[in-house]
Amino acid sequence: MGKFSKGILGGFSGKVGNVVGARWRGQDIMRSLPQRGNYVPTTAQLDQRVRFKTAIGFVTPIKNILSSYYGKQQGDKSAFNLATGYVLKEALLPDGLGDYTIDYPKVLIAKGDLRGLANGAVVAAASQELTITWDDNSGQGNAATTDELVVVVYCEALDLFETANPAGTRDLTTVQMPLPAYWAGQQVQVWATFVTADKQLAATSTFLGAVTVS
């Protein structure tokens, strides 16, 4: 693989003859096309592919939330890239059968320096609703009454997410999160965080736990 600052026509992307051009970590690179043959991936490479497939499959449906609230871009790594990398490294569990599952308590839907939820909790309410509660810690540090609550709910059995952005403000101390009627009887995982009203700062999210929808 080679890198260049100014080619004859400048940087390029795609295939030209036997050369592929691309942008990688802020630099223009060129590399030759891979040789076809009897290549067999190693066990470690196969394992990494499974890990990546599991992680990316989980985070992609909530890409908008992660892109908006999971910290700041670092170099060429977007907030979504950083969130995906975190799940790959910290939030996967081997299932003993060569596959992986998500370690839900370790998942973060947001990351930042805003004051987070105090004593957050979730319980099932009637008619496929969740009741989410917390203590009003407005005025502590950088917490404000106008900070907005963001909620993410995931149903593993259905492989579906429901989000509320926003669900309410910090001073309310309780909100109802409606879920689809056909989620009744399903177990869901729930995360919540606060973001400032201007969306410029987020709190590191809180995992509220698992609950069965009524």
Side-chain angles (χ1 to χ4, degrees):
M1 178 179 71
K3 61 182 180 180
F4 59 96
S5 57
K6 289 185 180 180
I8 297 173
L9 299 176
F12 70 95
S13 176
K15 184 175 72 172
V16 178
N18 292 323
V19 175
V20 177
R23 186 80 174 167
W24 182 70
R25 293 187 177 178
Q27 296 179 327
D28 294 311
I29 64 167
M30 293 185 299
R31 62 185 179 187
S32 60
L33 288 171
Q35 298 294 317
R36 296 185 181 275
N38 297 321
Y39 168 74
V40 178
T42 65
T43 300
Q45 288 171 330
L46 290 173
D47 181 70
Q48 185 63 15
R49 290 178 187 177
V50 173
R51 290 170 59 86
F52 183 78
K53 180 180 179 181
T54 303
I56 202 69
F58 178 75
V59 299
T60 297
I62 53 171
K63 183 176 182 178
N64 184 55
I65 298 286
L66 298 174
S67 296
S68 299
Y69 307 132
Y70 198 91
K72 303 297 183 182
Q73 180 166 326
Q74 297 179 10
D76 279 0
K77 292 184 177 180
S78 67
F80 179 69
N81 294 149
L82 294 171
T84 303
Y86 172 82
V87 172
L88 275 168
K89 184 179 180 181
E90 304 291 346
L92 292 181
L93 291 172
D95 68 356
L97 301 174
D99 210 340
Y100 287 86
T101 59
I102 302 297
D103 189 354
Y104 298 117
K106 291 186 177 180
V107 168
L108 296 177
I109 63 162
K111 190 175 181 181
D113 296 326
L114 185 64
R115 185 63 63 97
L117 274 77
N119 298 317
V122 60
V123 296
S127 302
Q128 299 81 56
E129 287 192 336
L130 302 179
T131 300
I132 299 170
T133 59
W134 63 93
D135 293 342
D136 182 7
N137 55 357
S138 302
Q140 297 179 14
N142 56 1
T145 58
T146 55
D147 294 336
E148 297 176 342
L149 183 74
V150 178
V151 181
V152 171
V153 182
Y154 176 64
C155 178
E156 180 180 345
L158 300 173
D159 192 23
L160 292 174
F161 284 91
E162 286 287 323
T163 63
N165 182 22
T169 51
R170 191 187 293 266
D171 59 330
L172 293 179
T173 71
T174 183
V175 296
Q176 299 298 120
M177 173 78 178
L179 297 174
Y182 65 92
W183 283 35
Q186 301 289 349
Q187 185 183 75
V188 296
Q189 315 291 327
V190 187
W191 299 265
T193 191
F194 283 118
V195 301
T196 53
D198 62 6
K199 314 294 186 183
Q200 295 303 302
L201 188 63
T204 297
S205 59
T206 299
F207 176 64
L208 297 179
V211 63
T212 300
V213 181
S214 298

